Amino acid sequence: MNWGCTPQIPQDSSAPPAAETMPFVAVTQIVEHPALDATRDGIQDELKAAGYTAGGTLTWKWESAQGSPATAAQIASAFVAEKPDVIVAIATPSAQAAVSASTDIPVIFSAVTDPVAAKLVENLDQPGGLVTGVSDLSPVDRHVSLMQEINPNLKTIGVIYNAGEANAVSLVNLLKDQAQIKGLSVEEATVANSSGVVTAAQNLVGKADVIYVPTDNTVVSALESVIQVGIDNKIGIYSGDTASVKRGTIASLGFDYYDVGRQTGKQVIRILEGESPGNISVESVDTLKLYVNPKAAEAMGVTLPASVLDQADTVVD
């Protein structure tokens, strides 16, 4: 999908520039789901606010890999051949593909959990080279505390993830560390693609007191199937991202992915204005908000404590 266009040859100084003279931003996204879509929207809106309007003063091209790392690699190679001013890669698999394909084009990543473990950069403060971006590392320790507050008798946390996603592996390792600290156990269920998510969720029934869905793109893209398992079996489903609460998980403490996109957009603008990505530190998101979904909790047989409801920034209707 190419949102850029080639305008007519300008007849006066107020007409838009020719496409070949416009800044060119190419965006690759591993899969479409609300959190990543909101990230993309935030990037585009931040660019527009700075005067870079798709089809007017900016050539904007966006492609989704539909959940396939192989497709992500193909998109990255095609983008490199088109020589944009910057490639923006949303989520870890797309970022890894873009960094692997590019030798001379800046890459800005977004919604990447662990840029160092994913081998995108070696140093967060001084990335060097052509790569930087925004990390969406979840506050897993606080997620565990939130699940304990809502489920006082919690003993075992079930987690579904794609072991092929570096970001998901990092999050599950954090989850296991935090669970051990709090005297809890973790039951893992791995998937290779979205079609296996419902079976993985069903396999956790009877083994886990709750199911936690980290910011794993494979699982989040099939979230509704996990939620249905939670409803059918009266197991609370919790998420690493707040966008999933609106889709039917019980609660999450996190950030708005639209804001992640706006923050990423600011970095893209710095690149378009001549700054070297290697001199831009990798940024994290500091503002956290508590989202709760009382209807989802009721459907899963879970009672939300007044203490949690009173702290909530957003209560989903």
Side-chain angles (χ1 to χ4, degrees):
M1 183 185 302
N2 190 340
W3 292 358
C5 64
T6 305
Q8 298 297 317
I9 297 174
Q11 301 299 313
D12 57 60
S13 59
S14 63
E20 61 269 17
T21 66
M22 291 185 197
F24 178 9
V25 174
V27 183
T28 174
Q29 180 175 326
I30 187 60
V31 72
E32 294 170 75
H33 62 65
L36 299 188
D37 294 347
T39 302
R40 184 186 71 237
D41 291 344
I43 294 168
Q44 190 170 34
D45 286 353
E46 186 64 34
L47 288 167
K48 184 177 180 180
Y52 296 99
T53 303
T57 56
L58 175 74
T59 296
W60 166 281
K61 185 170 186 177
W62 169 75
E63 295 282 356
S64 168
Q66 302 298 322
S68 168
T71 303
Q74 293 171 0
I75 291 170
S77 295
F79 278 175
V80 168
E82 294 181 69
K83 299 190 180 301
D85 294 286
V86 57
I87 295 174
V88 182
I90 301 175
T92 301
S94 286
Q96 290 173 318
V99 170
S100 177
S102 177
T103 58
D104 58 355
I105 298 171
V107 175
I108 304 296
F109 58 77
S110 188
V112 167
T113 297
D114 191 338
V116 175
K119 299 182 180 180
L120 302 176
V121 297
E122 294 183 357
N123 187 297
L124 299 179
D125 295 326
Q126 297 177 323
L130 293 169
V131 183
T132 191
V134 178
S135 170
D136 67 342
L137 179 63
S138 299
V140 176
D141 57 338
R142 297 180 65 177
H143 290 170
V144 174
S145 296
L146 178 63
M147 288 186 281
Q148 281 188 304
E149 185 173 359
I150 297 173
N151 303 267
N153 297 319
L154 177 63
K155 294 181 179 179
T156 303
I157 301 171
V159 60
I160 308 170
Y161 69 104
N162 182 349
E165 284 197 28
N167 57 303
V169 173
S170 294
L171 287 169
V172 172
N173 287 336
L174 285 174
L175 177 65
K176 290 190 287 188
D177 289 344
Q178 291 302 316
Q180 183 177 25
I181 291 171
K182 297 177 185 296
L184 305 173
S185 61
V186 174
E187 185 73 28
E188 302 175 44
T190 60
V191 298
N193 50 56
S194 60
S195 64
V197 170
V198 64
T199 301
Q202 291 168 340
N203 287 341
L204 290 172
V205 175
K207 300 177 182 178
D209 301 308
V210 302
I211 295 176
Y212 176 67
V213 178
T215 52
D216 177 304
N217 298 295
T218 303
V219 183
V220 173
S221 65
L223 180 65
E224 281 71 20
S225 63
V226 182
I227 291 169
Q228 192 59 53
V229 170
I231 293 171
D232 292 343
N233 296 278
K234 303 305 177 191
I235 298 175
I237 309 297
Y238 297 85
S239 56
D241 69 287
T242 57
S244 291
V245 180
K246 298 177 182 178
R247 295 169 65 187
T249 65
I250 291 175
S252 183
L253 182 70
F255 29 79
D256 189 325
Y257 272 82
Y258 177 80
D259 294 336
V260 174
R262 295 295 297 245
Q263 190 170 340
T264 306
K266 287 181 170 65
Q267 290 192 336
V268 176
I269 291 165
R270 291 170 68 179
I271 301 303
L272 293 178
E273 295 180 351
E275 196 165 345
S276 170
N279 295 329
I280 301 174
S281 298
V282 174
E283 298 175 5
S284 58
V285 185
D286 297 325
T287 303
L288 297 176
K289 295 181 180 179
L290 175 60
Y291 282 57
V292 297
N293 189 327
K295 290 183 179 179
E298 182 180 3
M300 296 172 192
V302 175
T303 300
L304 286 172
S307 59
V308 173
L309 289 168
D310 290 344
Q311 296 176 59
D313 296 286
T314 298
V315 178
V316 177
D317 294 329

